[in-house]
Amino acid sequence: MTEVQRGTLLFTGKAKAMYATNDPQILWVEYLDQATALNGKRKVAIAEKGLLNNQIASLIFRDLANHGIENHFIKQLSDHVQLVRRVNMIPLETVVRNAASGSFERKFDADHLMPFTQPVMEFFYKSDRLDDPFINDSQIVALKLATPTMLAEMRRQAQLINDRLQMIFAEMKIQLVDFKVEFGLTAAGKVLLADEISPDSCRLVDDTTHESLDKDVFRKNLGDLTTVYQEVLNRLSVVEGGR
Ligand code: TMP
C-alpha cells in the first residue's frame, strides 16, 4: 500500500471524525477523546477515550475478520487513527440483544438482565432529527433504506457477530448483554460491517461483580469511564495475546 495521507474532513460524528485520503477507497477515522449521551445533547471531553476505543475496535475487527466476518477495518495507524474501507453507509442501527436492558427493559418493563432463549434483533432508523426511531422490516423496505435481500444479509451477519462476540467476552469473564452494529454497501453491492464495535456500542457486564463495563458508566454516572474501558482493553489484550 502506498503511504496513505489524510485529506479533507468529511464529517465529525459523536465519537469519531472521518477524513478522505489520497486513496478514494480508504477513509481515515480519528477516534475522539469525547463522549456524548442523549443523542449528542450531553457532550464531555474524556482523555484517552478515543485511544482506548480505537484499540478495542481494532482488536475486535481483526478478530472478526480472522473468524470469517469481513468488515471495513484495514489497519490501526496510530493511537487515535484507523484506516477503513470506504462504503456507503446504510442508515440503520442493527441491535442484537441477549438479555433485557436499556430501551427493551423500559419499553416492556422487563426484568433487568432477564436472559433471552434466542437473541432479539431490532433495527433503528439513523436520524438525529427523528431521534433514531425503531423501524420494522417492511418500513425499512418502504422507505428504501435497504432491500429485503440486504436486510436478510444484515441479520445473518449480526447473528454471526453475536456468536463470535459472545465467545470473546465469555473468555474475558464478561456478559455481552446487547450491542449495536452498522453496515455499509461496497461499490460491488456487498453488505459490509462498518462503523465501530467498542464499549460505546455494547452493553457489557462483569460476570462476577455485575458492574457495567461500557458507556452506561457515562450515561448513568456510575464511575470513571476511562478506568472501565481500560479494564475491557486489558482483558481483551490478554485473551487476544493468548491465542
Ligand atoms: P438501547 O437499549 O438503548 O436500545 O441500546 C441497545 C444497544 O445499542 C446498546 O448496546 C447500546 C447501543 N447503542 C448505540 O451504540 N448507540 C445508540 O445511539 C443507542 C441508542 C444504543
Side-chain angles (χ1 to χ4, degrees), residues 14-225:
K14 292 174 193 130
K16 298 187 289 294
M18 314 280 288
Y19 295 84
T21 68
N22 48 332
D23 183 332
Q25 302 303 324
I26 298 178
L27 293 183
W28 176 291
V29 182
E30 185 184 340
Y31 280 68
L32 305 173
D33 287 328
Q34 70 183 33
T36 63
L38 307 172
N39 225 346
K41 290 177 201 83
R42 181 175 156 227
K43 182 156 95 179
V44 177
I46 300 183
E48 310 266 292
K49 174 174 173 282
L51 176 152
L52 292 166
N53 268 357
N54 186 25
Q55 299 213 51
I56 293 169
S58 296
L59 276 167
I60 291 178
F61 278 141
R62 263 198 301 272
D63 179 280
L64 291 176
N66 288 339
H67 288 82
I69 302 163
E70 262 190 81
N71 58 73
H72 75 157
F73 179 79
I74 298 172
K75 69 173 188 171
Q76 187 179 344
L77 207 59
S78 64
D79 280 353
H80 287 78
V81 175
Q82 57 180 244
L83 299 181
V84 302
R85 239 180 108 175
R86 187 176 206 145
V87 290
N88 273 327
M89 291 305 290
I90 301 165
L92 295 170
E93 298 191 335
T94 303
V95 169
V96 182
R97 304 179 189 274
N98 297 305
S101 189
S103 64
F104 184 101
E105 181 183 334
R106 287 194 296 277
K107 190 171 181 178
F108 301 110
D109 194 21
D111 287 344
H112 184 57
L113 299 187
M114 177 188 81
F116 300 145
T117 47
Q118 59 180 49
V120 168
M121 209 174 285
E122 296 171 358
F123 294 105
F124 293 85
Y125 177 30
K126 274 179 75 76
S127 162
D128 285 341
R129 189 171 61 85
L130 301 175
D131 234 356
D132 297 351
F134 175 88
I135 187 165
N136 73 17
D137 289 38
S138 55
Q139 291 169 330
I140 290 172
V141 175
L143 290 171
K144 298 189 170 55
L145 304 176
T147 63
T149 311
M150 282 161 63
L151 270 180
E153 179 60 12
M154 288 161 71
R155 284 184 187 281
R156 188 188 73 81
Q157 291 192 32
Q159 177 80 53
L160 292 175
I161 295 163
N162 187 40
D163 292 345
R164 181 64 204 154
L165 290 183
Q166 278 191 299
M167 215 176 276
I168 301 174
F169 285 113
E171 281 186 59
M172 294 161 61
K173 307 282 179 246
I174 289 173
Q175 182 192 357
L176 176 64
V177 177
D178 56 35
F179 65 92
K180 181 267 304 180
V181 283
E182 295 180 27
F183 296 95
L185 268 191
T186 66
K190 212 165 123 76
V191 172
L192 190 72
L193 173 64
D195 193 52
E196 75 176 271
I197 299 180
S198 73
D200 270 15
S201 58
C202 300
R203 274 205 181 85
L204 307 170
V205 172
D206 183 277
D207 277 351
T208 315
T209 64
H210 303 296
E211 277 169 1
S212 287
L213 297 173
D214 59 61
K215 200 173 148 188
D216 273 354
V217 168
F218 173 75
R219 291 190 192 96
K220 300 181 185 170
N221 285 316
L222 299 174
D224 179 50
L225 181 139

